Amino acid sequence: MGALPKRKVSRLRRDRRRAHYLRLDKPSLLHCAKCGKPHLSHHVCPHCGTYKGRQVIEIKEKKKNE
Ligand SMILES: [Zn+2]
């Protein structure tokens, strides 16, 4: 006795299950409207900190003098 599935999963059942998550694509990259650099869609741009043209987070730049 072990942690094994009780019955063989049919091809149909297996493939149906996989269809659910294999549908998920790699996260698509968009180009930022502000800085033009690639960023994940539906995510704040990590380069300039804007999302849909709005400043959402502040990017701390490596500047010693301001
Ligand atoms: Zn940006």
Side-chain angles (χ1 to χ4, degrees):
M1 289 288 259
L4 288 169
K6 213 166 197 175
R7 0 175 42 100
K8 181 184 171 75
V9 175
S10 72
R11 258 181 294 164
L12 178 69
R13 220 186 148 106
R14 181 202 64 196
D15 291 348
R16 274 232 204 98
R17 178 187 348 118
R18 287 182 188 171
H20 196 68
Y21 58 77
L22 285 180
R23 211 176 33 165
L24 297 169
D25 242 295
K26 298 163 202 163
S28 49
L29 287 173
L30 295 178
H31 288 274
C32 176
K34 198 187 175 195
C35 68
K37 286 176 185 166
H39 68 94
L40 292 175
S41 61
H42 307 116
H43 285 255
V44 175
C45 172
H47 308 287
C48 64
T50 61
Y51 180 69
K52 298 225 174 195
R54 263 180 45 212
Q55 192 77 38
V56 182
I57 52 167
E58 267 189 60
I59 301 293
K60 285 169 190 166
E61 287 182 58
K62 288 170 187 172
K63 279 182 193 170
K64 282 183 180 175
N65 305 313
E66 277 200 21

Coordinates of all heavy atoms in Angstrom, one line a residue:
M1 N 0.8 -1.2 0.0 CA 0.0 0.0 0.0 C 0.9 1.3 0.0 O 1.8 1.4 0.8 CB -0.9 0.0 1.3 CG -2.0 -1.0 1.2 SD -3.3 -0.6 0.1 CE -4.5 0.1 1.2
G2 N 0.6 2.1 -0.8 CA 1.3 3.3 -0.9 C 0.5 4.5 -1.3 O -0.7 4.3 -1.5
A3 N 1.1 5.6 -1.5 CA 0.3 6.8 -1.9 C 0.2 6.8 -3.4 O 0.9 7.5 -4.1 CB 1.0 8.0 -1.4
L4 N -0.6 5.8 -3.9 CA -0.8 5.7 -5.3 C -2.2 6.0 -5.7 O -3.1 5.7 -4.9 CB -0.4 4.3 -5.7 CG 1.1 3.9 -5.7 CD1 1.3 2.4 -5.9 CD2 1.8 4.7 -6.8
P5 N -2.4 6.4 -6.9 CA -3.8 6.7 -7.3 C -4.5 5.3 -7.5 O -4.0 4.3 -7.8 CB -3.6 7.4 -8.7 CG -2.2 7.1 -9.1 CD -1.4 6.9 -7.9
K6 N -5.8 5.4 -7.1 CA -6.6 4.2 -7.1 C -6.7 3.5 -8.5 O -6.7 2.3 -8.6 CB -7.9 4.5 -6.5 CG -8.5 3.4 -5.7 CD -9.7 3.9 -4.9 CE -10.0 2.9 -3.7 NZ -11.1 3.4 -2.9
R7 N -7.0 4.4 -9.4 CA -7.2 3.9 -10.8 C -6.4 4.7 -11.8 O -6.0 5.8 -11.5 CB -8.6 3.9 -11.2 CG -9.6 4.4 -10.2 CD -11.0 4.5 -10.8 NE -11.3 3.3 -11.6 CZ -12.1 2.3 -11.2 NH1 -12.6 2.3 -10.0 NH2 -12.3 1.3 -11.9
K8 N -6.1 4.0 -12.9 CA -5.4 4.7 -14.0 C -6.3 5.8 -14.5 O -7.5 5.6 -14.6 CB -5.2 3.7 -15.1 CG -4.5 4.2 -16.3 CD -4.4 3.2 -17.4 CE -3.9 3.8 -18.7 NZ -2.4 4.0 -18.6
V9 N -5.7 6.9 -14.7 CA -6.4 8.1 -15.2 C -6.4 7.9 -16.7 O -5.4 7.8 -17.4 CB -5.7 9.4 -14.8 CG1 -6.4 10.6 -15.4 CG2 -5.8 9.5 -13.3
S10 N -7.6 8.0 -17.3 CA -7.7 7.8 -18.7 C -7.1 9.0 -19.4 O -6.9 10.1 -18.9 CB -9.2 7.7 -19.1 OG -9.8 8.9 -19.0
R11 N -6.8 8.7 -20.7 CA -6.1 9.8 -21.5 C -7.0 11.0 -21.5 O -6.6 12.1 -21.4 CB -5.9 9.3 -22.9 CG -4.5 8.9 -23.2 CD -4.3 8.4 -24.6 NE -5.1 7.2 -24.9 CZ -5.4 6.7 -26.1 NH1 -5.0 7.4 -27.1 NH2 -6.1 5.6 -26.2
L12 N -8.3 10.8 -21.7 CA -9.2 11.9 -21.7 C -9.2 12.7 -20.5 O -9.1 13.9 -20.5 CB -10.6 11.3 -22.0 CG -11.7 12.4 -22.0 CD1 -11.6 13.3 -23.3 CD2 -13.1 11.8 -22.0
R13 N -9.3 12.0 -19.4 CA -9.3 12.7 -18.1 C -8.0 13.4 -17.8 O -8.0 14.6 -17.4 CB -9.5 11.6 -17.0 CG -10.4 12.1 -15.9 CD -10.5 11.1 -14.8 NE -10.7 11.9 -13.6 CZ -11.8 11.9 -12.9 NH1 -12.9 11.2 -13.3 NH2 -11.9 12.5 -11.8
R14 N -6.9 12.8 -18.1 CA -5.6 13.3 -17.9 C -5.4 14.6 -18.8 O -5.0 15.6 -18.3 CB -4.5 12.3 -18.3 CG -3.1 12.8 -18.1 CD -2.1 12.0 -19.0 NE -2.4 12.1 -20.4 CZ -2.0 11.3 -21.4 NH1 -1.2 10.3 -21.1 NH2 -2.3 11.5 -22.6
D15 N -5.8 14.5 -20.1 CA -5.6 15.6 -21.0 C -6.6 16.8 -20.6 O -6.2 17.9 -20.8 CB -5.8 15.1 -22.4 CG -4.7 14.2 -22.9 OD1 -3.7 14.1 -22.1 OD2 -4.8 13.6 -23.9
R16 N -7.8 16.4 -20.2 CA -8.7 17.5 -19.8 C -8.1 18.3 -18.6 O -8.2 19.5 -18.6 CB -10.0 16.8 -19.3 CG -11.0 16.6 -20.4 CD -12.3 17.2 -20.1 NE -13.4 16.5 -20.9 CZ -14.1 15.6 -20.4 NH1 -14.0 15.2 -19.1 NH2 -15.0 15.0 -21.1
R17 N -7.5 17.5 -17.7 CA -7.0 18.2 -16.5 C -5.8 19.1 -16.9 O -5.7 20.2 -16.5 CB -6.4 17.1 -15.5 CG -5.8 17.7 -14.3 CD -5.1 16.8 -13.4 NE -5.4 15.4 -13.5 CZ -4.4 14.5 -13.9 NH1 -3.2 14.9 -14.0 NH2 -4.7 13.2 -14.0
R18 N -5.0 18.6 -17.8 CA -3.8 19.4 -18.2 C -4.2 20.6 -19.1 O -3.5 21.6 -19.1 CB -2.8 18.5 -19.0 CG -2.1 17.6 -18.1 CD -1.1 16.7 -18.7 NE -0.6 15.7 -17.8 CZ 0.1 14.7 -18.1 NH1 0.5 14.5 -19.4 NH2 0.5 13.9 -17.2
A19 N -5.3 20.4 -19.8 CA -5.7 21.5 -20.7 C -6.0 22.7 -19.9 O -5.8 23.9 -20.3 CB -7.0 21.1 -21.4
H20 N -6.3 22.5 -18.6 CA -6.7 23.6 -17.7 C -5.4 24.5 -17.5 O -5.5 25.7 -17.5 CB -7.2 23.1 -16.4 CG -7.9 24.1 -15.6 ND1 -9.1 24.7 -16.0 CD2 -7.6 24.7 -14.4 CE1 -9.5 25.5 -15.1 NE2 -8.6 25.6 -14.2
Y21 N -4.3 23.9 -17.1 CA -3.2 24.7 -16.8 C -2.2 24.9 -17.9 O -1.4 25.8 -17.9 CB -2.5 24.2 -15.5 CG -2.0 22.8 -15.5 CD1 -0.8 22.4 -16.1 CD2 -2.7 21.8 -14.8 CE1 -0.4 21.1 -16.1 CE2 -2.2 20.5 -14.7 CZ -1.1 20.2 -15.4 OH -0.6 18.9 -15.3
L22 N -2.2 24.0 -18.9 CA -1.3 24.1 -20.0 C -1.7 25.3 -20.9 O -0.9 25.8 -21.7 CB -1.2 22.9 -20.9 CG -0.4 21.7 -20.2 CD1 -0.4 20.5 -21.1 CD2 1.0 22.2 -19.9
R23 N -2.9 25.7 -20.7 CA -3.4 26.9 -21.4 C -2.6 28.1 -21.0 O -2.5 29.1 -21.8 CB -4.9 27.1 -21.1 CG -5.7 27.6 -22.1 CD -7.1 27.6 -21.6 NE -7.1 27.9 -20.2 CZ -8.2 28.2 -19.5 NH1 -9.4 28.3 -20.2 NH2 -8.2 28.4 -18.2
L24 N -2.2 28.2 -19.8 CA -1.5 29.3 -19.3 C -0.2 29.6 -20.0 O 0.7 28.7 -20.0 CB -1.2 29.2 -17.8 CG -2.5 29.0 -16.9 CD1 -2.0 28.6 -15.5 CD2 -3.2 30.3 -16.8
D25 N -0.1 30.7 -20.6 CA 1.1 31.0 -21.4 C 2.1 31.6 -20.5 O 1.9 31.9 -19.3 CB 0.7 32.0 -22.5 CG 0.9 31.4 -23.8 OD1 2.1 31.2 -24.1 OD2 0.0 31.2 -24.6
K26 N 3.3 31.8 -21.1 CA 4.3 32.5 -20.3 C 3.8 33.9 -20.1 O 3.0 34.4 -21.0 CB 5.6 32.6 -21.2 CG 6.2 31.3 -21.5 CD 7.2 31.5 -22.7 CE 7.4 30.2 -23.3 NZ 8.0 30.3 -24.7
P27 N 4.2 34.6 -19.1 CA 3.7 35.9 -18.8 C 4.1 36.8 -20.0 O 5.3 36.8 -20.4 CB 4.3 36.3 -17.5 CG 5.5 35.4 -17.3 CD 5.0 34.1 -18.0
S28 N 3.1 37.5 -20.5 CA 3.5 38.3 -21.7 C 4.1 39.6 -21.3 O 3.8 40.2 -20.3 CB 2.2 38.6 -22.5 OG 1.2 39.1 -21.7
L29 N 5.1 40.0 -22.1 CA 5.8 41.2 -21.9 C 5.2 42.3 -22.7 O 4.9 42.2 -23.9 CB 7.3 41.1 -22.2 CG 8.1 40.2 -21.3 CD1 9.5 40.0 -21.9 CD2 8.2 40.9 -19.9
L30 N 5.0 43.4 -22.0 CA 4.6 44.6 -22.7 C 5.7 45.6 -22.7 O 6.6 45.5 -21.9 CB 3.4 45.3 -22.1 CG 2.1 44.5 -22.1 CD1 1.0 45.3 -21.3 CD2 1.6 44.2 -23.5
H31 N 5.6 46.6 -23.5 CA 6.6 47.7 -23.5 C 6.0 48.9 -22.8 O 4.9 49.3 -23.1 CB 7.2 48.0 -24.8 CG 8.1 46.9 -25.4 ND1 9.4 46.9 -25.1 CD2 7.8 45.9 -26.1 CE1 9.9 45.8 -25.6 NE2 9.0 45.2 -26.3
C32 N 6.7 49.3 -21.8 CA 6.2 50.4 -21.0 C 5.9 51.7 -21.8 O 6.7 52.0 -22.7 CB 7.3 50.8 -19.9 SG 6.9 52.2 -18.9
A33 N 4.8 52.3 -21.5 CA 4.4 53.5 -22.3 C 5.3 54.6 -21.9 O 5.4 55.5 -22.7 CB 2.9 53.8 -21.9
K34 N 5.9 54.6 -20.8 CA 6.7 55.7 -20.3 C 8.1 55.6 -20.7 O 8.7 56.4 -21.4 CB 6.5 55.9 -18.8 CG 7.0 57.3 -18.4 CD 7.0 57.5 -16.9 CE 7.6 58.8 -16.5 NZ 8.0 58.8 -15.1
C35 N 8.7 54.5 -20.3 CA 10.2 54.3 -20.6 C 10.5 53.4 -21.7 O 11.6 53.3 -22.2 CB 10.9 53.9 -19.3 SG 10.5 52.2 -18.8
G36 N 9.5 52.7 -22.2 CA 9.7 51.8 -23.4 C 10.4 50.5 -23.1 O 10.6 49.7 -24.0
K37 N 10.7 50.2 -21.8 CA 11.3 49.0 -21.5 C 10.3 47.9 -21.3 O 9.1 48.2 -20.9 CB 12.2 49.2 -20.2 CG 13.4 50.0 -20.5 CD 14.2 50.2 -19.2 CE 15.4 51.1 -19.5 NZ 16.0 51.7 -18.3
P38 N 10.7 46.6 -21.5 CA 9.7 45.6 -21.3 C 9.4 45.3 -19.9 O 10.2 45.4 -19.0 CB 10.4 44.3 -21.9 CG 11.9 44.7 -21.9 CD 12.0 46.2 -22.0
H39 N 8.1 45.1 -19.6 CA 7.7 44.7 -18.3 C 6.5 43.8 -18.4 O 5.9 43.7 -19.5 CB 7.3 46.0 -17.5 CG 6.0 46.7 -18.1 ND1 4.8 46.4 -17.6 CD2 5.9 47.5 -19.1 CE1 3.9 47.1 -18.2 NE2 4.5 47.8 -19.2
L40 N 6.2 43.1 -17.3 CA 5.1 42.1 -17.4 C 3.8 42.9 -17.5 O 3.6 43.9 -16.8 CB 5.1 41.3 -16.1 CG 6.2 40.3 -15.9 CD1 6.1 39.7 -14.5 CD2 6.2 39.2 -16.9
S41 N 2.9 42.3 -18.3 CA 1.6 42.9 -18.4 C 0.8 42.8 -17.1 O 1.0 41.8 -16.3 CB 0.8 42.2 -19.5 OG 0.6 40.9 -19.2
H42 N 0.0 43.7 -16.8 CA -0.7 43.8 -15.5 C 0.2 44.0 -14.3 O -0.2 43.7 -13.2 CB -1.7 42.6 -15.3 CG -2.6 42.4 -16.5 ND1 -2.5 41.3 -17.3 CD2 -3.5 43.3 -17.0 CE1 -3.4 41.5 -18.3 NE2 -4.0 42.6 -18.1
H43 N 1.4 44.4 -14.6 CA 2.3 44.7 -13.4 C 2.9 46.1 -13.6 O 3.0 46.6 -14.7 CB 3.5 43.7 -13.5 CG 3.1 42.3 -13.0 ND1 3.4 41.9 -11.7 CD2 2.4 41.4 -13.6 CE1 2.9 40.6 -11.6 NE2 2.3 40.3 -12.7
V44 N 3.3 46.6 -12.5 CA 3.9 47.9 -12.5 C 5.3 47.8 -13.2 O 6.0 46.8 -13.0 CB 4.1 48.5 -11.1 CG1 4.9 49.8 -11.1 CG2 2.7 48.7 -10.4
C45 N 5.6 48.8 -14.0 CA 6.9 48.7 -14.7 C 8.0 48.8 -13.6 O 8.0 49.8 -12.9 CB 7.0 49.9 -15.7 SG 8.6 50.1 -16.4
P46 N 8.9 47.9 -13.6 CA 10.0 48.0 -12.6 C 11.0 49.0 -12.9 O 11.9 49.3 -12.0 CB 10.6 46.6 -12.6 CG 10.3 46.1 -14.0 CD 9.0 46.7 -14.4
H47 N 11.0 49.5 -14.1 CA 12.0 50.5 -14.5 C 11.7 51.9 -14.1 O 12.5 52.7 -13.6 CB 12.3 50.4 -16.0 CG 12.6 49.0 -16.4 ND1 13.7 48.4 -16.2 CD2 11.8 48.2 -17.1 CE1 13.7 47.1 -16.7 NE2 12.5 47.0 -17.3
C48 N 10.4 52.3 -14.3 CA 10.1 53.7 -14.0 C 8.9 53.7 -12.9 O 8.6 54.8 -12.5 CB 9.7 54.4 -15.2 SG 8.2 53.7 -16.0
G49 N 8.4 52.6 -12.6 CA 7.4 52.5 -11.5 C 6.0 53.0 -11.9 O 5.2 53.4 -11.1
T50 N 5.7 53.0 -13.2 CA 4.3 53.4 -13.6 C 3.5 52.3 -14.1 O 4.0 51.2 -14.5 CB 4.4 54.5 -14.8 OG1 5.0 53.9 -15.9 CG2 5.2 55.7 -14.3
Y51 N 2.2 52.4 -13.9 CA 1.3 51.4 -14.5 C 0.1 52.2 -15.1 O -0.5 53.0 -14.4 CB 0.8 50.5 -13.3 CG -0.2 49.5 -13.8 CD1 0.3 48.5 -14.6 CD2 -1.5 49.5 -13.5 CE1 -0.6 47.5 -15.1 CE2 -2.4 48.6 -13.9 CZ -2.0 47.6 -14.7 OH -2.8 46.6 -15.2
K52 N -0.1 51.9 -16.3 CA -1.2 52.6 -17.1 C -1.0 54.1 -17.0 O -1.9 54.9 -16.8 CB -2.6 52.2 -16.6 CG -2.8 50.7 -16.8 CD -4.2 50.5 -17.3 CE -4.4 49.0 -17.6 NZ -5.5 48.8 -18.5
G53 N 0.3 54.5 -17.1 CA 0.6 55.9 -17.2 C 0.5 56.6 -15.8 O 0.7 57.8 -15.8
R54 N 0.3 55.9 -14.8 CA 0.3 56.5 -13.5 C 1.5 56.1 -12.7 O 1.9 54.9 -12.7 CB -1.0 56.0 -12.7 CG -2.1 57.0 -12.8 CD -3.3 56.4 -12.0 NE -2.9 55.9 -10.7 CZ -3.5 54.8 -10.1 NH1 -4.5 54.2 -10.7 NH2 -3.2 54.4 -8.9
Q55 N 2.0 57.0 -11.9 CA 3.1 56.7 -11.1 C 2.6 55.9 -9.9 O 1.8 56.4 -9.1 CB 3.8 58.0 -10.6 CG 5.2 57.7 -9.9 CD 6.3 57.4 -10.9 OE1 6.3 58.0 -12.0 NE2 7.2 56.5 -10.6
V56 N 3.1 54.7 -9.7 CA 2.5 53.8 -8.7 C 3.6 53.6 -7.6 O 3.2 53.7 -6.4 CB 2.1 52.4 -9.2 CG1 1.5 51.6 -8.2 CG2 1.1 52.6 -10.4
I57 N 4.8 53.3 -8.0 CA 5.8 53.2 -6.9 C 7.0 54.1 -7.3 O 7.1 54.5 -8.4 CB 6.3 51.7 -6.8 CG1 6.7 51.2 -8.2 CG2 5.3 50.8 -6.2 CD1 7.5 49.9 -8.1
E58 N 7.8 54.4 -6.3 CA 8.9 55.2 -6.6 C 10.1 54.3 -6.8 O 10.4 53.4 -6.1 CB 9.2 56.1 -5.4 CG 8.6 57.5 -5.5 CD 9.0 58.5 -4.5 OE1 10.2 58.7 -4.4 OE2 8.1 58.9 -3.7
I59 N 10.9 54.6 -7.8 CA 12.1 53.9 -8.1 C 13.2 54.6 -7.5 O 13.5 55.8 -7.8 CB 12.3 53.7 -9.7 CG1 11.1 53.0 -10.3 CG2 13.6 53.0 -10.0 CD1 10.9 51.6 -9.9
K60 N 13.9 53.9 -6.7 CA 15.1 54.5 -6.1 C 16.3 54.3 -7.0 O 16.8 53.2 -7.2 CB 15.4 53.8 -4.7 CG 14.4 54.3 -3.7 CD 14.6 53.4 -2.4 CE 13.4 53.7 -1.5 NZ 13.3 52.6 -0.4
E61 N 16.7 55.4 -7.6 CA 17.8 55.4 -8.5 C 19.1 55.5 -7.7 O 19.2 56.1 -6.6 CB 17.8 56.5 -9.5 CG 16.7 56.3 -10.5 CD 16.6 57.4 -11.5 OE1 17.6 57.6 -12.2 OE2 15.5 58.0 -11.7
K62 N 20.2 54.9 -8.3 CA 21.5 54.9 -7.6 C 22.2 56.2 -7.8 O 23.1 56.3 -8.6 CB 22.3 53.7 -8.1 CG 21.8 52.4 -7.6 CD 22.4 51.2 -8.3 CE 21.8 49.9 -7.9 NZ 22.3 48.7 -8.6
K63 N 21.7 57.2 -7.2 CA 22.3 58.5 -7.2 C 22.8 58.9 -5.9 O 22.1 58.7 -4.9 CB 21.3 59.5 -7.8 CG 21.1 59.5 -9.3 CD 20.2 60.6 -9.7 CE 19.7 60.4 -11.1 NZ 18.6 61.3 -11.4
K64 N 24.0 59.4 -5.8 CA 24.5 59.8 -4.5 C 24.2 61.3 -4.3 O 23.9 61.7 -3.2 CB 26.0 59.6 -4.4 CG 26.3 58.1 -4.2 CD 27.8 57.9 -4.0 CE 28.0 56.4 -3.8 NZ 29.5 56.1 -3.8
N65 N 24.2 62.1 -5.3 CA 23.9 63.5 -5.2 C 22.6 63.8 -5.8 O 22.3 63.4 -6.9 CB 25.0 64.3 -5.8 CG 26.4 64.0 -5.3 OD1 26.6 63.8 -4.1 ND2 27.3 63.7 -6.2
E66 N 21.8 64.6 -5.1 CA 20.5 65.0 -5.7 C 20.3 66.5 -5.6 O 20.8 67.1 -4.7 CB 19.4 64.3 -5.0 CG 19.2 62.9 -5.5 CD 17.8 62.3 -5.2 OE1 16.8 63.1 -4.9 OE2 17.6 61.1 -5.3
Ligands
ZN1 ZN 8.6 52.0 -17.5

